[in-house]
Amino acid sequence: MCNLLTFLRNKSNLIVVSVILFCILTPKIYAQSDKKEILSTRVQQAIEASQNSITFIENKGQWPVHVLFRADVPGGQMLATPEGMLVGKYDPKSLDAISKYDAQAEEIQKNLKQGSTVAEKLGPAPLLKGHGWRFNFAGGSLANPQTISKIGESSDYFNYFIGDPSTHATNVHGYNELVYKNIYQRVDVRYYTSAAGDLENDIVVHPGADSKLLKIQIDGIEILKQNENGDLILPTTVGDIELPSPVSYLRDEKGNTFKINIKYQLSGRNTLSFIIPEYDKSKTLVIDPIVMRWATWISGNTGGVDAHGHGIDLDAAGNIYTTGRYGNNMITVGAFQPSYVGSYDTYVAKYIEPAVPGGAGQRVWQTYMGTTAVDNPYAMSVGPD
């Protein structure tokens, strides 16, 4: 299962929910007739705001043991594993096919609710396809999960009540930054979201470290390529992924930075190193490659794959409640094609509305509920209790 917060922030079908949760309702507007109008005027604003960050959710037994943290991004997914960060991208065509299939299924259900007697049947559900690759620092030490530091804990939390009780997990928090500590001696790797919304991984070479040891083996990519500008090209089964040359700088003890020109260098079929000029080893060297560009993900994300926000309501105090479904898929290295059979689960969440129009709301709690079958809620209503 995936966390809903990331999902709310990054999946466009649930952006509708995030719009309501974060920036639509004002303290004086509770009339049912006003909800749709308010929603439609601020959808785009919420989409732009929600896609500029990700949250790494800690694994406390709700996912397989090799997944230490998980984050969902538009059109893809990231898994922090002991062997390195695994990144996956969904196939735009399969996303689109699933979106159309879901729309057809909802139309059939709508017709049945309205008393239609016409027999309409759906064919087999399309399968989600994609490609995964893992950034593995060759010759480094990533075997101990304790070497990963989590930074920026979220104030809210998640509860997972999915299937077998042995996989239930409560009070699960998310983090906005992960640091793989000492992948080489005195070398750390940070994963975080930049102000521009790109996923970045600072390779921090502390004073005294040997920068010549840095080598990134990208498992799941057959042959790495470079274009004439020195940008990195990752050929995948869902299209080429282009990553620009790294931004690099030196940092002294006072925090002053000095730009340094570092370029990618390919060695072997899928191993990446860096051309690093001589520099002052008493300073910290920061190599800052982009792991994934947000625009790349968004362009391939129709949002209809497994993300549905189906119900929303308010209580008398203006608290916001929502329910919907989310699909359970785990990225694997190389091309993948997981099935959706039995992988939809329900979530229920409560939010406090923004203090000011257009402000940020606050999530109070969020719970996943589901079985091994398909769980798909279609409405919710808040009672006086």
Side-chain angles (χ1 to χ4, degrees), residues 5 15 54 74 112 158 166 176 191 246 249 269 275 293 309 369:
L5 175 60
I15 287 297
I54 61 173
L112 290 173
F158 307 85
S166 65
N176 57 30
Y191 288 93
Y249 56 90
R269 298 174 63 87
I275 301 175
R293 307 197 85 165
M369 304 168 64

Side-chain angles (χ1 to χ4, degrees), residues 155-178:
S155 59
D156 52 13
Y157 61 90
F158 307 85
N159 294 321
Y160 296 79
F161 302 104
I162 307 164
D164 192 300
S166 65
T167 62
H168 293 179
T170 59
N171 199 33
V172 181
H173 287 264
Y175 302 85
N176 57 30
E177 180 180 332
L178 296 181

Side-chain angles (χ1 to χ4, degrees), residues 63-83:
W63 301 316
V65 293
H66 76 282
V67 179
L68 306 179
F69 297 85
R70 172 172 169 168
D72 285 81
V73 297
Q77 186 182 104
M78 298 191 324
L79 305 177
T81 74
E83 295 79 24

Side-chain angles (χ1 to χ4, degrees), residues 42-89:
R42 297 191 180 174
V43 167
Q44 188 58 42
Q45 180 183 6
I47 291 175
E48 293 173 358
S50 66
Q51 290 176 336
N52 282 332
S53 64
I54 61 173
T55 299
F56 293 96
I57 303 299
E58 189 171 12
N59 184 9
K60 289 193 173 182
Q62 73 271 26
W63 301 316
V65 293
H66 76 282
V67 179
L68 306 179
F69 297 85
R70 172 172 169 168
D72 285 81
V73 297
Q77 186 182 104
M78 298 191 324
L79 305 177
T81 74
E83 295 79 24
M85 184 66 71
L86 199 161
V87 181
K89 187 181 188 302

Side-chain angles (χ1 to χ4, degrees), residues 173-359:
H173 287 264
Y175 302 85
N176 57 30
E177 180 180 332
L178 296 181
V179 181
Y180 281 84
K181 303 289 288 186
N182 287 312
I183 57 164
Y184 305 100
Q185 188 173 6
R186 300 189 59 77
V187 177
D188 301 333
V189 177
R190 299 172 57 222
Y191 288 93
Y192 64 99
T193 309
S194 72
D198 296 323
L199 171 65
E200 301 193 19
N201 67 323
D202 287 359
I203 303 172
V204 184
V205 183
H206 295 285
D210 185 359
S211 60
K212 296 179 181 179
L213 295 176
L214 300 178
K215 286 187 179 181
I216 305 175
Q217 181 175 313
I218 306 183
D219 301 324
I221 302 297
E222 291 294 328
I223 302 177
L224 291 173
K225 299 179 181 180
Q226 280 184 285
N227 61 21
E228 61 277 7
N229 298 321
D231 299 335
L232 187 64
I233 308 296
L234 276 61
T236 77
T237 57
V238 295
D240 288 351
I241 307 298
E242 183 175 315
L243 304 179
S245 297
V247 175
S248 306
Y249 56 90
L250 296 175
R251 184 174 62 217
D252 63 19
E253 294 180 353
K254 296 180 180 180
N256 300 315
T257 59
F258 312 89
K259 187 175 180 181
I260 182 172
N261 186 26
I262 293 180
K263 298 180 180 179
Y264 288 129
Q265 179 173 267
L266 303 184
S267 57
R269 298 174 63 87
N270 65 344
T271 301
L272 181 69
S273 58
F274 302 94
I275 301 175
I276 305 174
E278 289 297 321
Y279 69 95
D280 184 352
K281 301 297 193 298
S282 68
K283 294 182 173 63
T284 298
L285 170 64
V286 179
I287 305 173
D288 184 9
I290 291 178
V291 175
M292 184 52 57
R293 307 197 85 165
W294 242 227
T296 301
W297 295 98
I298 295 170
S299 66
N301 178 24
T302 64
V305 53
D306 51 14
H308 285 197
H310 283 306
I312 188 165
D313 204 358
L314 304 175
D315 63 18
N319 296 309
I320 306 163
Y321 302 82
T322 181
T323 189
R325 81 175 189 196
Y326 184 72
N328 181 16
N329 297 284
M330 284 291 182
I331 296 296
T332 57
V333 172
F336 60 87
Q337 186 172 324
S339 171
Y340 275 94
V341 178
S343 60
Y344 288 139
D345 285 298
T346 295
Y347 71 84
V348 179
K350 175 182 178 179
Y351 282 75
I352 297 175
E353 67 174 341
V356 296

